Amino acid sequence: MTARPAFGGIEAGGTKWVCGLTDERGDLVATDVIPTTTPDETLGRAVRFFAGHETIRAIGVGSFGPLDLDPASPTHGSITTTPKPDWSDTDLLSPLRQAVGVPIALDTDVNAAALGEWRHVAGAGLHSLCYITVGTGIGAGAVVGGRLLHGSGHLEFGHLRIPHDTARDPFPGSCPHHGDCLEGLASGEALRHRWGRPAEDLDDPAVWHLEAEYLAHAIANAAYALAPQRVIVGGGVAQHPALLPRLRERLARDALRQQAVVTW
Amino acid sequence: MTARPAFGGIEAGGTKWVCGLTDERGDLVATDVIPTTTPDETLGRAVRFFAGHETIRAIGVGSFGPLDLDPASPTHGSITTTPKPDWSDTDLLSPLRQAVGVPIALDTDVNAAALGEWRHVAGAGLHSLCYITVGTGIGAGAVVGGRLLHGSGHLEFGHLRIPHDTARDPFPGSCPHHGDCLEGLASGEALRHRWGRPAEDLDDPAVWHLEAEYLAHAIANAAYALAPQRVIVGGGVAQHPALLPRLRERLARDALRQQAVVTW
Ligand SMILES: Nc1ncnc2c1ncn2[C@@H]1O[C@H](COP(=O)(O)OP(=O)(O)O)[C@@H](O)[C@H]1O
Ligand SMILES: Nc1ncnc2c1ncn2[C@@H]1O[C@H](COP(=O)(O)OP(=O)(O)O)[C@@H](O)[C@H]1O
Ligand SMILES: [Zn+2]
Ligand SMILES: [Zn+2]
């Protein structure tokens, strides 16, 4: 490692944790990918990655959840009740704090992504944007007036109600709570359930036509309810090459306001 | 008038303008209702209402639109292109500024309502809320982190896409742009077109059952995309006595987060 690390970051996912160190300018100087096993083992490896770098000034953590993000709560900084075995009530911050005595910020993975996009990538110069991830599930984070939108907890954007023409798409939806909410119709899990194979293996144009329609509804709703200057779409499902062209076409047809430029 | 007026306000509507003066504490000391005729006549009467009150310190205007709210625009403070005859390109602020030399703030009627609810009525102590009006059309304003959400222009909440079961409700929707968006399905205009009579004359429980379902979808989407601590519903249609009980029941059934308390 040549440059002195100034900032640390963790993307704490259910499958893997990606840890990174950057220099003063935010350029990466070191990374480590840790498989998500038990909390002790995973957090232990993350602590070892950051420990000993005396020049680190702050660490940002974007984590899977649900998270206790209420600063007034005694369990602030913990994962609360997750279906992921062993991880309920895991305190994410204390082990890091003890090992590295610097300020540590925690937010949801999508909020961290929204903030990162806004500060460093697609959002430069904007005061608002909405980042939507279409992966196993669907989530979103928003920056409004230069700050992450927190409101009462995090956004539950995946559960938006959108039009569902059951004559054309009889699939009842995969959301355990709502059936055919946005996530129930358009997430990676929904695609796998509806078509019987993972999204990356689906090539029928009809699949991506329908998917583009559902995501266009979601983007329209984000634009109408939040009025962001830009909407950014990420996540595994968004990587499929058949999706973006259809989505752009569909959004143009809906005459969505120009401000809601969609970038990948 | 006994108390000395300290603040002025105008609710500038397409049918009437309501002008008011309050004392230091915000209690009304005088009001005037002006029919909306030509811009010259209407603004002239509003100016006469405020003129001569030397103790006024500021005036707030909530207006129908669309409005140019961009402070950098040369036509800032104007109504832009409205279907309302004579009112396109009307400068709302200059005549008031010339007559009363105090700071004047302008925003959309729903944003003014959202701010008013937040400061003085249902929102006391909250940092976020969403105000939805269900009248001739449907609109919304939101307070986020103690400030009105402006984003890129005002919210176009009325055009949210929501589920529409055409087998149950074959009405194609009344929105000239989208047909069956929220406003096309659930506004006062939509009710009048679907059922052939104004909303206040509709008593069939099936009407209000369907209406509650559409508004529950809208409230869910507001909660999921904005995470406000409270949702407030106003407007003419919301006054119908058959609506509120059905809407509350429906929201309870959807297990909407408790934070999204709906008040009238
Ligand atoms: N190239 C691809 N095309 C379409 N779908 C993909 C592709 N790669 C991954 N996926 C789907 O994306 C989902 C995983 O999303 P991802 O954002 O990588 O992770 P997660 O949401 O679990 O954090 C899975 O449902 C997978 O089938
Ligand atoms: N008591 C009522 N019950 C149901 N609908 C009503 C009632 N009063 C007014 N409306 C409907 O509300 C709409 C007018 O809404 P309002 O908020 O008063 O004005 P606007 O939206 O035009 O500013 C009309 O469509 C009217 O039919
Ligand atoms: Zn759902
Ligand atoms: Zn519409």
Side-chain angles (χ1 to χ4, degrees):
Chain A
M1 199 184 305
T2 50
R4 290 149 60 93
F7 302 108
I10 306 178
E11 187 194 353
T15 311
K16 60 183 194 294
W17 284 33
V18 183
C19 301
L21 287 169
T22 77
D23 61 18
E24 286 289 339
R25 295 183 318 187
D27 290 329
L28 277 174
V29 295
T31 56
D32 193 14
V33 178
I34 302 170
T36 310
T37 56
T38 64
D40 278 355
E41 190 178 5
T42 314
L43 273 160
R45 284 194 56 177
V47 161
R48 283 198 294 284
F49 176 77
F50 292 111
H53 294 294
E54 314 280 298
T55 52
I56 298 180
R57 299 220 308 272
I59 296 178
V61 183
S63 178
F64 73 104
L67 299 172
D68 181 345
L69 295 175
D70 176 0
S73 160
T75 55
H76 174 243
S78 294
I79 292 178
T80 58
T81 47
T82 169
K84 198 168 168 60
D86 301 329
W87 281 84
S88 288
D89 305 316
T90 297
D91 180 350
L92 294 175
L93 295 188
S94 298
L96 281 166
R97 282 232 173 79
Q98 277 148 27
V100 196
V102 300
I104 303 182
L106 171 71
D107 213 323
T108 62
D109 39 16
V110 280
N111 274 348
L115 194 63
E117 290 283 346
W118 176 65
R119 290 290 290 272
H120 296 296
V121 193
L126 305 178
H127 56 73
S128 65
L129 65 74
C130 179
Y131 173 85
I132 304 174
T133 175
V134 189
T136 307
I138 295 183
V143 171
V144 167
R147 299 187 69 91
L148 279 171
L149 178 65
H150 277 111
S152 73
H154 59 281
L155 303 187
E156 299 187 51
F157 193 87
H159 301 289
L160 281 180
R161 312 291 207 275
I162 59 167
H164 175 206
D165 178 352
T166 52
R168 184 169 155 215
D169 173 24
F171 178 62
S174 62
C175 175
H177 307 294
H178 314 106
D180 63 352
C181 65
L182 171 62
E183 183 166 297
L185 290 172
S187 65
E189 272 303 281
L191 289 168
R192 194 171 63 78
H193 278 101
R194 185 193 289 106
W195 308 107
R197 272 175 301 151
E200 54 271 43
D201 298 341
L202 297 170
D203 291 320
D204 184 344
V207 167
W208 298 104
H209 208 79
L210 192 65
E211 181 71 5
E213 184 168 320
Y214 292 140
L215 295 182
H217 288 316
I219 291 168
N221 283 354
Y224 293 150
L226 279 162
Q229 290 172 290
R230 186 163 300 179
V231 176
I232 298 163
V233 181
V237 174
Q239 309 312 316
H240 197 286
L243 181 59
L244 175 54
R246 281 182 179 72
L247 185 52
R248 283 202 188 284
E249 188 200 320
R250 170 84 206 201
L251 289 170
R253 187 141 49 88
D254 289 352
L256 262 186
R257 293 199 322 261
Q258 288 165 318
Q259 296 98 307
V261 177
V262 180
T263 51
W264 249 238
Chain B
M1 198 185 303
T2 50
R4 289 149 59 93
F7 303 109
I10 305 178
E11 187 195 352
T15 311
K16 61 183 193 293
W17 283 33
V18 183
C19 301
L21 287 169
T22 78
D23 60 20
E24 286 291 338
R25 296 183 318 186
D27 291 328
L28 277 174
V29 295
T31 57
D32 193 15
V33 178
I34 301 170
T36 310
T37 55
T38 64
D40 278 355
E41 191 179 4
T42 314
L43 274 160
R45 284 195 55 178
V47 162
R48 282 198 295 282
F49 176 77
F50 292 111
H53 293 295
E54 314 280 298
T55 51
I56 298 180
R57 298 219 310 270
I59 296 178
V61 183
S63 177
F64 73 103
L67 299 172
D68 181 345
L69 295 174
D70 176 1
S73 159
T75 54
H76 173 245
S78 293
I79 292 179
T80 59
T81 46
T82 168
K84 197 167 169 61
D86 303 329
W87 282 84
S88 287
D89 305 317
T90 297
D91 179 350
L92 294 175
L93 296 189
S94 299
L96 281 167
R97 281 230 173 81
Q98 277 149 28
V100 197
V102 299
I104 302 182
L106 172 71
D107 213 323
T108 62
D109 38 17
V110 280
N111 274 348
L115 194 63
E117 289 284 346
W118 176 66
R119 290 290 290 273
H120 296 295
V121 194
L126 305 178
H127 56 73
S128 65
L129 65 75
C130 179
Y131 172 84
I132 304 174
T133 174
V134 189
T136 308
I138 295 182
V143 171
V144 167
R147 299 186 69 90
L148 279 170
L149 177 65
H150 276 111
S152 73
H154 58 280
L155 303 187
E156 300 188 48
F157 192 86
H159 301 289
L160 280 180
R161 311 292 207 275
I162 58 167
H164 174 206
D165 178 352
T166 52
R168 183 169 154 216
D169 173 24
F171 177 61
S174 63
C175 174
H177 307 294
H178 314 106
D180 63 351
C181 64
L182 170 62
E183 182 166 298
L185 290 172
S187 65
E189 271 303 280
L191 290 169
R192 194 172 62 78
H193 278 100
R194 185 193 288 107
W195 308 107
R197 270 175 304 151
E200 54 271 42
D201 297 342
L202 298 170
D203 291 319
D204 183 345
V207 166
W208 298 104
H209 208 79
L210 192 65
E211 181 71 4
E213 184 169 319
Y214 293 140
L215 294 182
H217 288 315
I219 291 168
N221 283 353
Y224 293 150
L226 279 162
Q229 290 171 291
R230 185 164 299 180
V231 175
I232 297 162
V233 181
V237 175
Q239 310 312 317
H240 198 287
L243 181 58
L244 175 55
R246 282 182 177 73
L247 185 52
R248 284 203 189 282
E249 189 200 319
R250 168 84 206 200
L251 289 170
R253 187 142 48 90
D254 289 351
L256 261 187
R257 294 199 322 260
Q258 287 166 316
Q259 296 98 307
V261 177
V262 179
T263 51
W264 248 240

